[in-house]
Amino acid sequence: MPLSSFPSSSSFSSSANVLALAVLLLLLNAGTSSAQLSDNFYSKKCPNVFNTVKSVVKSAVAKEPRIGASILRLFFHDCFVDGCDGSLLLDDTPSFLGEKTAAANNNSVRGFEVIDAIKSKVEKLCPGVVSCADILAVASRDSVVLLGGPFWKVKVGRRDSRTANFTAANTGVIPPPSSNLTNLITAFQAQGLSARDMVALSGAHTIGKARCTSFRDHIYNGSNIDRTFASARQRQCPRTNGVGDNNLAVLDFRTPTHFDNDYFKNLLIKRGLLNSDQVLFNGGSTDSLVRTYSKNNKAFDSDFVTAMIKMGNNKPLTGSRGEIRKNCRRVN
Ligand code: HEM
Ligand SMILES: *[C@@H]1O[C@H](CO)[C@@H](O)[C@H](O)[C@H]1NC(C)=O
Ligand SMILES: *[C@@H]1O[C@H](CO)[C@@H](O)[C@H](O)[C@H]1NC(C)=O
Ligand SMILES: *[C@@H]1O[C@H](CO)[C@@H](O)[C@H](O)[C@H]1NC(C)=O
Ligand SMILES: *[C@@H]1O[C@H](CO)[C@@H](O)[C@H](O)[C@H]1NC(C)=O
C-alpha cells in the first residue's frame, strides 16, 4: 500500500510510517547481502551477455590454456578483499592505490587483458549495464568449464566498487602459500567459508602455475614432500632468495591444464607444490576429505561448485551501491 493512501494526515504518524518502512527494509536486508543477485538480472537489459563473455574466454583459453587459471584466481582475490566488487581490477594511479601490487598479487596476478576485451565487447552490446564484477564471476565459471570442470549457474547483479583495499590484499586476508592448516581455515572462515569449502576451493590448483618464490621454502625445507618431486622442482628453482624468483612450475604435475581431481591425488603422494597445498593432507582434520575427493571426482565437482557460489555471493555491491564501471581499470 502506498504511504500516501494512509488515512492519517498528521505529520507525526506519517513519519512514523516512513520510519517503520525503513526499519522493515533494513531487517529484510540484514544478513542477506546476496539476496539481490539473481539468474535473470540481465535477461532484459543484456540478454546476450553470457554468450559474449564465453566467446571471449573461449578464444583466450584456446590461445593459452593457463589464462583460464589466471582468471579464476582473479575472482578469488577479488572476492576475498571487501567482497566480489571488481576492486582488484582497478589500476594504480598517482592518486589511487589499488590492490594489484599488494603482496598476494604483485608480479603474480594476470588475465586483466581478457577482462578488458570482454568488457569492451559487452559495452558495445549493452553500454553501461554489465558490471566488471559480474564479468569476472561469469568468466571464471567459463574458464573452469572450458578446461574440463563442472558448470554452474552464476547469479548476477553485482556492481563495481569505487574503492580498493591495498592493506587487506597485502596482509593475509588472502592467505599466503606459507600458511598452515589453521591459518587457512581461519582465513576462509573470515569470509563465511567452511573448512570443507576451503579444501574444495583449493582444488582450483588443479590448473595453473606458481612462481619459485611461492614454493621455494616448501621444496627446500618442507618435511611433508616427496623427495624425488622436491629434487625435480629444485632444478628449476634455485635455493637463493632473489635468484629465479619468477621461474614457473605447474601446480598439478599430472594435468596442469585440465580441471579435475588430480590435485588431491597429488597430495596423497606428497606432491603438492605449495606448503598450503600439502598441509591439507598432513595428518590433520582435512585428510579424510582430501582422500574422498581424490577418489571421487563427482564429490569434488559438487563441493567445488557449492563453494564457488558461496564465494561469489560474498558481500556484493547491489542496488544503488557502487557503480557500473565503463572501464574495469578505473572508476567512472
Ligand atoms: C587456500 C588458500 C590458497 C593459497 C594459499 C593460494 C596460493 C596461491 C599461490 C601462491 C599461487 C601461485 C602464485 C604465484 O606464484 O604467482 C596460486 C595460484 C593459483 N591459485 Fe591459489 N591459493 C589458494 C586458494 C585458491 C583458490 C580458492 C582459488 C580459486 C578458487 C585459487 C586459484 C588459483 C589458480 C587457478 C592459480 C594459478 C594461477 C595462474 O596460473 O595464473 N587458489 N595460489
Ligand atoms: C612489486 O614488485 C616490483 C617488482 O618486483 C617491486 O619493484 C615493487 O616494489 C613491488 N611493490 C610492492 C608494493 O611491494
Ligand atoms: C580494508 O581491509 C581491512 C582488513 O580487512 C579492514 O580492516 C578495513 O576496514 C578495510 N578498509 C576499508 C576502507 O574498507
Ligand atoms: C600456524 O601458524 C601460526 C602463525 O601464522 C602459528 O601461530 C600457529 O602456531 C601455527 N599453527 C600450527 C598448528 O602449526
Ligand atoms: C630453510 O630454513 C632455514 C632455517 O629456518 C632458513 O634459514 C632458510 O632460509 C630456509 N631456506 C629456504 C630456501 O627457504
Side-chain angles (χ1 to χ4, degrees), residues 113-326:
E113 295 76 11
V114 181
I115 304 303
D116 292 340
I118 298 169
K119 179 64 172 173
S120 69
K121 252 197 154 168
V122 168
E123 280 300 297
K124 282 195 191 107
L125 194 67
C126 357
V129 168
V130 180
S131 67
C132 300
D134 274 346
I135 285 173
L136 191 49
V138 174
S140 298
R141 186 274 314 276
D142 292 341
S143 296
V144 169
V145 172
L146 285 161
L147 295 174
F151 174 88
W152 67 96
K153 271 191 170 173
V154 177
K155 288 199 191 300
V156 285
R158 296 170 191 80
R159 290 166 65 85
D160 299 321
S161 70
R162 296 177 51 81
T163 57
N165 193 333
F166 176 89
T167 312
N170 201 42
T171 53
V173 168
I174 300 164
S178 56
S179 300
N180 62 33
L181 183 57
T182 313
N183 302 148
L184 294 178
I185 292 173
T186 308
F188 278 66
Q189 216 130 53
Q191 306 286 336
L193 297 165
S194 66
R196 190 183 193 88
D197 296 327
M198 184 274 289
V199 175
L201 287 170
S202 295
H205 290 176
T206 177
I207 51 176
K209 297 181 180 180
R211 293 162 305 145
C212 168
T213 186
S214 300
F215 57 82
R216 177 180 281 129
D217 198 48
H218 183 52
I219 61 171
Y220 285 102
N221 279 342
S223 50
N224 53 345
I225 186 168
D226 174 77
R227 295 325 306 172
T228 310
F229 177 68
S231 307
R233 287 295 167 265
Q234 286 167 10
R235 283 194 281 280
Q236 303 296 325
C237 178
R239 180 189 292 270
T240 312
N241 268 325
V243 182
D245 280 6
N246 294 324
N247 294 358
L248 294 171
V250 293
L251 282 157
D252 166 14
F253 77 91
R254 297 172 204 251
T255 54
T257 60
H258 195 250
F259 195 101
D260 55 25
N261 64 340
D262 284 353
Y263 168 81
F264 298 101
K265 297 180 186 169
N266 299 341
L267 298 185
L268 293 192
I269 55 169
K270 297 190 179 295
R271 290 177 175 225
L273 183 63
L274 309 177
N275 183 68
S276 55
D277 292 325
Q278 197 59 56
V279 294
L280 304 180
F281 189 80
N282 192 32
S285 59
T286 52
D287 277 20
S288 64
L289 191 54
V290 169
R291 248 191 227 101
T292 300
Y293 292 156
S294 75
K295 285 189 287 218
N296 187 340
N297 195 36
K298 281 205 169 116
F300 165 51
D301 279 357
S302 160
D303 285 358
F304 180 78
V305 163
T306 300
M308 281 297 289
I309 292 171
K310 252 167 114 174
M311 186 172 84
N313 290 349
N314 190 10
K315 291 180 274 169
L317 298 172
T318 55
S320 60
R321 299 163 67 212
E323 65 182 17
I324 305 297
R325 271 180 225 148
K326 291 187 171 68

Side-chain angles (χ1 to χ4, degrees), residues 53-127:
V53 175
K54 187 168 60 187
S55 72
V56 179
V57 177
K58 192 173 177 185
S59 58
V61 167
K63 213 157 78 185
E64 191 212 4
R66 183 191 173 200
I67 207 74
S70 304
I71 292 169
L72 176 59
R73 183 164 183 251
L74 288 184
F75 185 53
F76 161 48
H77 285 206
D78 181 32
C79 290
F80 265 50
V81 175
D82 296 340
C84 312
D85 60 359
S87 56
L88 171 59
L89 304 174
L90 293 170
D91 279 345
D92 288 0
T93 73
S95 59
F96 182 88
L97 179 58
E99 294 163 14
K100 290 182 178 180
T101 62
N105 298 327
N106 201 16
N107 302 315
S108 176
V109 283
R110 59 200 293 282
F112 297 108
E113 295 76 11
V114 181
I115 304 303
D116 292 340
I118 298 169
K119 179 64 172 173
S120 69
K121 252 197 154 168
V122 168
E123 280 300 297
K124 282 195 191 107
L125 194 67
C126 357

